[in-house]
Amino acid sequence: MSAAEGPLVVGVDTSTQSTKALVVDAATGQVVASGQAPHTVSSGAGRESDPRQWWDALREALHQCGDAAREAAAVSVGGQQHGLVTLDARGEPVRPALLWNDVRSAPQARRLIEELGGPESWAERTGSVPSASFTVTKWAWLAEHEPDAARAAKAVRLPHDYLTERLTGEGTTDRGDASGTGWWASGTEAYDEEVLAHVGLDPALLPRPVRPGEVAGTVRDGHGLPFSKGTLVAAGTGDNAAAALGLGLRPGVPVMSLGTSGTVYAVSRHRSADPTGTVAGFADARGDWLPLACTLNCTLAVDRVAALLSLDREAVEPGTDVTLLPYLDGERTPNLPHSSGLLHGLRHDTTAGQLLQAAYDGAVHSLLGALGLVLDADADPNAPLLLIGGGARGTAWQQTVRRLSGRPVQIPEARELVALGAAAQAAGLLTGEDAAAVARRWNTAAGPVLDAVERDEAALTRISGVLSDAAPLLERGVGSG
């Protein structure tokens, strides 16, 4: 291990598929050790995980970090958003967590929107119009379909809250992750008592929101982790807010994240309230706002198409009029929770590589359609689009984003930006700095810039036309009348 210039901190990313831990030098941003361990997610109608897996994965990831983790002075957890974690009086899960990409609560989302004033009211109240991804809809689903489990819940947490609480023994959250629940009012930055009463959730079951820069607690005894008792624990935050910290984002800089889900977002000084529901008006982890649009189908969906075609994920071919909407898990943007994948324009001379390219185009089209709504009117339309996430390293993803956006694309060299953002948050506890300023000092956004190319307007128009024409079919979904 290289000699560190400053104290060591740990940043954690507990994502859908795995937990990653980085030990980082707070002075330089150098990653001195890392570890990763997988989770399992259920298949079928729901998407669920046992939260205890996340804890076990954290222990394994930290074990892989070796002695460096034992020297850490502070730790912070970034985690997948929206997941509903229900705990009993002993702090044990009542049932597996309902994850962000579990869309069974779509009927509850529609009903909640109608019952509490419509989309305009929700957007003004919480900053977002709830979709099936939001935690409030999942609680409503649980109360309706598993009332015994809802009654047994003595604490309700988000995924990052669960791990933070196991570290400290205190139930806490932060404004960034809380803003994705649907029961946090963005105007007052407090829990919305009317929403909670409407869904029958006692606010006493919820964690205490921790202010930006505030210590959430300290590591307690008996945790089975390498941290010393008294190690500082930061508030943590949701994965997108953590990645924004990890990039040291300034307002107006656009980001596209290509992972299990796809997201576009930017930091803004202004609270967002989009009544169409396309943009979620999330808070960031610092005190600003993080308007964001999210798709359910991104890298995993395109990889699945590649597997069905027996192709490598890079084996794309240009020159096709075929359209493929890869909505394999339903979709959030556009809001089509019951949809499935759709293929249009298939010809005798269509190649497998062209079909694969069409899947990339369909996934990127959804994200770019929301980008203009995410950015403030005064944002520079020619600024490089920061491309992050696992897909950002793929040539096919890079070239598709360039061709369909018409913007220069910058690919930060730093990896694991969620964990780096959590590490920057932990470092801020030690230095008193703003976490984004810590990341800028670490120069995490540095990376090559790919020049802009002419935007493929024909492809964008074709995909938009197919989506518009097919909307009634997609809204009905598979197996519905």
Side-chain angles (χ1 to χ4, degrees):
M1 184 179 76
S2 301
E5 294 185 17
L8 298 181
V9 294
V10 169
V12 176
D13 172 13
T14 182
S15 67
T16 315
Q17 305 292 332
S18 66
T19 290
K20 310 174 189 76
L22 301 182
V23 183
V24 180
D25 183 339
T28 65
Q30 178 189 1
V31 177
V32 300
S34 63
Q36 179 174 350
H39 314 149
T40 59
V41 178
S42 68
S43 57
R47 294 290 185 272
E48 302 180 353
S49 288
D50 185 341
R52 289 169 294 199
Q53 285 190 60
W54 308 335
W55 180 254
D56 292 341
L58 175 60
R59 293 175 65 179
E60 173 57 26
L62 288 168
H63 176 74
Q64 293 172 21
C65 292
D67 291 339
R70 303 181 190 281
E71 300 176 25
V75 58
S76 181
V77 179
Q80 54 176 308
Q81 291 185 255
H82 304 307
L84 176 66
V85 181
T86 50
L87 305 176
D88 63 20
R90 297 174 296 119
E92 294 295 324
V94 171
R95 68 176 314 285
L98 297 171
L99 303 187
W100 60 273
N101 54 352
D102 187 314
V103 297
R104 287 176 290 178
S105 61
Q108 286 73 27
R110 289 192 295 270
R111 190 163 66 241
L112 287 173
I113 293 169
E114 294 170 0
E115 292 172 348
L116 287 176
E120 293 83 3
S121 176
W122 273 95
E124 181 57 34
R125 178 192 294 268
T126 69
S128 306
V129 181
S131 69
S133 296
F134 279 62
T135 324
V136 68
T137 72
K138 299 181 188 305
W139 174 263
W141 180 91
L142 188 70
E144 181 176 335
H145 290 273
E146 300 180 16
D148 289 345
R151 284 191 293 269
K154 303 305 178 186
V156 173
R157 303 289 185 259
L158 296 166
H160 110 259
D161 304 338
Y162 171 77
L163 290 180
T164 301
E165 184 167 1
R166 289 204 62 172
L167 286 169
T168 66
E170 302 289 336
T172 60
T173 191
D174 90 301
R175 68 193 297 270
D177 218 359
S179 67
T181 59
W183 54 57
W184 186 83
S186 59
T188 60
E189 300 207 21
Y191 291 130
D192 191 307
E193 294 184 3
E194 183 180 356
V195 170
L196 292 171
H198 190 79
V199 297
L201 179 55
D202 183 349
L205 273 58
L206 299 177
R208 175 181 67 88
V210 173
R211 295 186 303 274
E214 181 185 351
V215 175
T218 58
V219 172
R220 59 177 174 171
D221 282 335
H223 47 71
L225 298 180
F227 303 125
S228 301
K229 181 182 178 182
T231 299
L232 296 181
V233 181
T237 192
D239 51 5
N240 290 297
L245 289 182
L247 289 165
L249 276 190
R250 297 185 186 275
V253 177
V255 177
M256 180 181 290
S257 177
L258 304 172
T260 304
S261 64
T263 56
V264 287
Y265 57 85
V267 170
S268 174
R269 303 288 191 201
H270 311 292
R271 186 173 72 92
S272 176
D274 176 16
T276 73
T278 301
V279 176
F282 294 149
D284 76 353
R286 300 176 48 258
D288 287 326
W289 302 93
L290 196 72
L292 176 149
C294 177
T295 64
L296 296 183
N297 299 277
C298 195
T299 57
L300 285 185
V302 172
D303 285 354
R304 179 58 181 155
V305 172
L308 288 170
L309 298 170
S310 298
L311 293 178
D312 181 270
R313 62 169 62 99
E314 296 288 345
V316 295
E317 296 179 32
T320 178
D321 289 330
V322 70
T323 298
L324 201 166
L325 304 178
Y327 304 162
L328 306 190
D329 285 319
E331 190 46 80
R332 172 172 165 175
T333 304
N335 186 22
L336 298 165
H338 299 299
S339 63
S340 59
L342 184 143
L343 177 63
H344 179 269
L346 189 64
R347 301 288 187 182
H348 278 289
D349 59 353
T350 304
T351 68
Q354 290 171 336
L355 283 178
L356 181 56
Q357 180 62 67
Y360 279 97
D361 287 2
V364 171
H365 173 271
S366 296
L367 289 166
L368 290 176
L371 183 60
L373 298 174
V374 164
L375 293 172
D376 291 336
D378 56 355
D380 182 357
N382 298 311
L385 176 59
L386 292 179
L387 199 63
I388 65 172
R393 307 293 167 176
T395 300
W397 281 110
Q398 294 171 5
Q399 299 308 320
T400 301
V401 172
R402 291 177 74 201
R403 179 172 56 83
L404 295 184
S405 72
R407 303 179 75 123
V409 172
Q410 183 171 357
I411 303 151
E413 292 177 351
R415 308 257 179 150
E416 308 300 352
L417 285 162
V418 174
L420 271 178
Q425 193 182 49
L429 293 183
L430 303 177
T431 65
E433 293 173 277
D434 171 81
V438 171
R440 288 193 291 271
R441 178 163 56 77
W442 292 349
N443 201 25
T444 52
V449 178
L450 307 178
D451 292 337
V453 299
E454 184 178 0
R455 187 162 64 176
D456 189 345
E457 298 287 359
L460 293 169
T461 300
R462 171 172 45 80
I463 298 168
S464 294
V466 170
L467 176 58
S468 177
D469 291 344
L473 177 62
L474 292 167
E475 287 169 359
R476 287 201 299 269
V478 178
S480 57

